[in-house]
Amino acid sequence: MIVVRFAPSPTGYMHIGNLRTALLNYMFAQKKKNEGEDVSFVLRIDDTDRERSKPEYEAAVYDCLKWMGMKWDRLEHQSARLARYDEIVERLKAEGRLYACYETAEELEYKRRRRLARKLPPVYDREGLRLTAEDRAKLEAEGRRPHYRFKLDYEEMAWDDMVRGHCSYHGEYLSDPIVVREDGTLPYLLPSVIDDIDFGITHVIRGEDHVTNTAVQIQMFKALGGKIPVFGHPPLLTGKEGKLSKRTGSVNFMELRDEGIEPMTVACLLSSIGTSDATPVEKTLEALADHFDLSKFGRAQPRFDTQDLFKLNPRIVRDLSLETVNDRLAQKGMPAVDARLWEAVAPNLTKLDDLTGWIDRCSAGKVFSVPDEDRAFARTAAALLPDGAFDENTFALWTAALKEKTGRKGRDLFHPLRMALTGLEQGPELKALLPVLGREETVSRLQG
RNA sequence: GACCCUAUCGUCUAACGGUUAGGACAUCGCCCUCUCAAGGCGGUAACACGGGUUCAAAUCCCGUUAGGGUCGCCA
């Protein structure tokens, strides 16, 4: 059984970095599923921060995953598991793994700065560990409330990362992390480990910004007797101007969706950026997952450029199946199109929305003005339409006859036809458009 | 400052001691063609720098430079 998780904090809208993490986890699981394994994708909402968590952000997470076609097998909220976390905290306190500290945030900040000034690593000095019961009583008498730190063993923490290979850190260089705040709430680190154990997470795929956390969390897994998952830390994406954080990453999926970017465009690009694979063009996440392999990812940070989505989108759009296209039209309350229209127009689209313009342009009863000098030619053309089937061969037969009759050729021959039939200088091949219009409509447009 | 990670065409990257340094996207040219696309064919284009090691280095080692991550009572 393979169990992965995506654990967003609903304190802001999903951005491209979040989305990529979600997708990478999903792709990893889907690949295993394609290979016949049992898999589960857990969506865990890290909503312990009551102040900053907002329902609309959480809703956006669901919308985003659904938009891209990612389905989760299990949904959990950290806010519903507080009692469980307390239980573990009490256990660790009893085991002496957690120790009370009384510095204020300001005092800690001062200590950090002082160590930095002395060119020392700004790690916590473990003052709390040296406090006697009397010291603590005295501090509490002063009105101080304790926060608790997790005591790190000074040993090597190593793991084989699915992306980075062998990784190793030493406890000595790391600060004992605070796991219980002064107000009794818990920061990210410990609850995440508790959840990973309780939900049976087997593989944790998250950004490179978590590698040091992984070292610390490995000690927590050990302290809790849980099975340590396999980790994979792909490098963070960078933006054109450097970092791609919350701000540059303001590229959220809603904007992309509204600009006509297909979900599969985003999926194809995000699942392959950072690998040497040619960007795959696939219709479904299932098919896309076949290309996926975390070991294909490099360790350097790739540059993500939104423009690449716009370059890829036309390739994704014209590859869309007729069924998908009609589903999407139906969602907008529009009637279905037939295969001939779709195939004629698809190579000319940059986004699916452009299709509606061509549907309208091909609909019955349209007349486009023909310049006076071409009016007679258009009439002649109408009269020369070949009898019999009106199909993809019709155009060649028709224009050959027209060429012979009028002596026109090249642009003089074709341009007036295009203008009369579509009203535009450019567009899909007339050969393909003719059967879409049909004989009757073709004639009426030519006769103006 | 400490601990980690990274450095190859414009971009994403392959190469795991010996290659004409490969591919994809972009770009340019040609073909197709009524147009714009699409499609087909082809071209331009890269080993950050300096030292070693070696018969041989993009590849291994050291240094320099340049990026990045972490060092939060954020997640």
Side-chain angles (χ1 to χ4, degrees):
Chain A
M1 184 74 175
I2 302 288
V3 186
V4 297
R5 44 93 156 167
F6 173 55
S9 171
T11 53
Y13 285 112
M14 288 276 285
H15 56 80
I16 211 81
N18 285 331
L19 181 50
R20 173 172 177 257
T21 301
L23 182 71
L24 262 31
N25 275 284
Y26 195 88
M27 284 290 108
F28 179 82
Q30 185 60 241
K31 172 75 177 295
K32 297 284 184 188
K33 193 174 184 179
N34 290 356
E35 291 168 354
E37 298 239 28
D38 279 341
V39 304
S40 178
F41 180 78
V42 178
L43 176 57
R44 186 184 87 202
I45 306 294
D46 285 9
D47 56 353
T48 50
D49 188 333
R50 285 289 176 73
E51 298 268 304
R52 297 194 301 143
S53 294
K54 298 232 166 66
E56 59 263 40
Y57 295 141
E58 185 174 328
V61 170
Y62 303 139
D63 289 347
C64 183
L65 297 189
K66 283 184 196 158
W67 176 67
M68 193 162 262
M70 291 189 267
K71 296 185 264 298
W72 50 95
D73 303 297
R74 178 171 181 177
L75 176 65
E76 293 285 347
H77 286 79
Q78 287 197 320
S79 58
R81 292 177 44 79
L82 269 21
R84 170 66 176 154
Y85 304 148
D86 282 343
E87 177 190 334
I88 298 289
V89 162
E90 290 314 314
R91 188 174 119 198
L92 289 173
K93 277 184 191 170
E95 289 170 1
R97 196 63 197 259
L98 265 39
Y99 63 93
C101 299
Y102 291 85
E103 298 92 340
T104 62
E106 294 71 33
E107 285 164 349
L108 288 173
E109 180 56 31
Y110 174 71
K111 281 188 184 184
R112 255 195 302 276
R113 271 211 290 270
R114 228 177 43 178
R115 288 185 65 95
L116 239 20
R118 287 163 55 202
K119 301 189 188 304
L120 259 26
V123 295
Y124 181 58
D125 61 11
R126 290 191 156 176
E127 189 180 319
L129 207 48
R130 295 189 295 270
L131 261 25
T132 63
E134 285 157 31
D135 294 334
R136 286 201 294 271
K138 197 178 157 211
L139 286 160
E140 298 206 14
E142 286 172 14
R144 298 211 185 209
R145 300 256 65 87
H147 57 273
Y148 290 84
R149 289 188 187 256
F150 178 86
K151 183 169 172 286
L152 247 26
D153 286 331
Y154 282 179
E155 62 178 23
E156 185 174 87
M157 290 97 61
W159 73 96
D160 286 309
D161 196 282
M162 289 186 283
V163 177
R164 325 184 100 215
H166 183 78
C167 293
S168 155
Y169 284 82
H170 199 96
E172 209 177 334
Y173 300 116
L174 272 23
S175 281
D176 291 338
I178 292 172
V179 292
V180 183
R181 296 189 184 99
E182 193 181 323
D183 66 4
T185 60
L186 313 190
Y188 164 80
L189 249 21
L190 185 59
S192 179
V193 169
I194 297 170
D195 289 343
D196 287 344
I197 294 171
D198 288 355
F199 303 157
I201 303 300
T202 60
H203 298 260
V204 172
I205 298 160
R206 61 200 334 188
E208 193 181 42
D209 49 340
H210 283 283
V211 287
T212 318
N213 288 339
T214 295
V216 170
Q217 288 182 315
I218 280 175
Q219 290 208 11
M220 293 180 174
F221 276 103
K222 284 183 180 166
L224 297 178
K227 190 159 181 292
I228 301 173
V230 178
F231 291 93
H233 298 90
L236 265 15
L237 260 24
T238 61
K240 235 184 151 134
E241 307 279 314
K243 293 199 192 175
L244 187 90
S245 51
K246 308 90 201 170
R247 292 196 53 189
T248 333
S250 65
V251 208
N252 66 50
F253 87 97
M254 289 175 276
E255 293 172 29
L256 295 173
R257 180 188 61 195
D258 294 346
E259 291 193 73
I261 297 293
E262 293 295 313
M264 281 309 293
T265 301
V266 179
C268 289
L269 187 69
L270 288 184
S271 72
S272 64
I273 190 169
T275 73
S276 62
D277 285 355
T279 310
V281 175
E282 294 290 353
K283 293 182 175 68
T284 62
L285 294 178
E286 291 70 30
L288 183 59
D290 285 331
H291 302 267
F292 189 77
D293 183 350
L294 269 182
S295 68
K296 287 180 180 172
F297 284 76
R299 282 116 293 185
Q301 299 185 338
R303 213 173 294 274
F304 170 78
D305 186 349
T306 319
Q307 282 312 308
D308 291 338
L309 290 173
F310 288 91
K311 285 189 280 197
L312 178 59
N313 204 52
R315 293 208 286 155
I316 298 287
V317 168
R318 67 173 174 263
D319 200 42
L320 253 26
S321 70
L322 184 64
E323 293 71 44
T324 306
V325 170
N326 281 328
D327 282 350
R328 297 274 291 276
L329 287 172
Q331 280 167 29
K332 295 205 289 182
M334 297 182 59
V337 294
D338 67 13
R340 283 190 306 196
L341 186 143
W342 173 243
E343 281 160 25
V345 167
N348 283 68
L349 305 177
T350 53
K351 53 186 190 198
L352 189 57
D353 282 349
D354 296 344
L355 175 62
T356 56
W358 284 104
I359 293 174
D360 179 57
R361 204 159 280 275
C362 292
S363 61
K366 282 266 184 305
V367 173
F368 303 104
S369 67
V370 175
D372 291 341
E373 65 269 27
D374 287 327
R375 191 148 290 151
F377 174 71
R379 292 264 159 79
T380 307
L384 283 178
L385 274 168
D387 294 331
F390 209 72
D391 58 23
E392 67 275 11
N393 299 314
T394 305
F395 187 68
L397 292 170
W398 178 40
T399 52
L402 199 49
K403 183 177 177 182
E404 183 158 346
K405 174 88 176 184
T406 65
R408 291 202 192 201
K409 60 180 181 179
R411 186 181 161 85
D412 291 340
L413 174 68
F414 297 103
H415 186 255
L417 300 179
R418 173 170 292 284
M419 290 305 290
L421 295 178
T422 72
L424 291 175
E425 299 275 349
Q426 328 176 324
E429 293 183 13
L430 287 176
K431 172 189 170 179
L433 234 31
L434 216 52
V436 174
L437 292 173
R439 181 183 295 275
E440 196 180 320
E441 184 65 19
T442 301
V443 169
S444 94
R445 290 184 185 195
L446 288 166
Q447 289 177 336

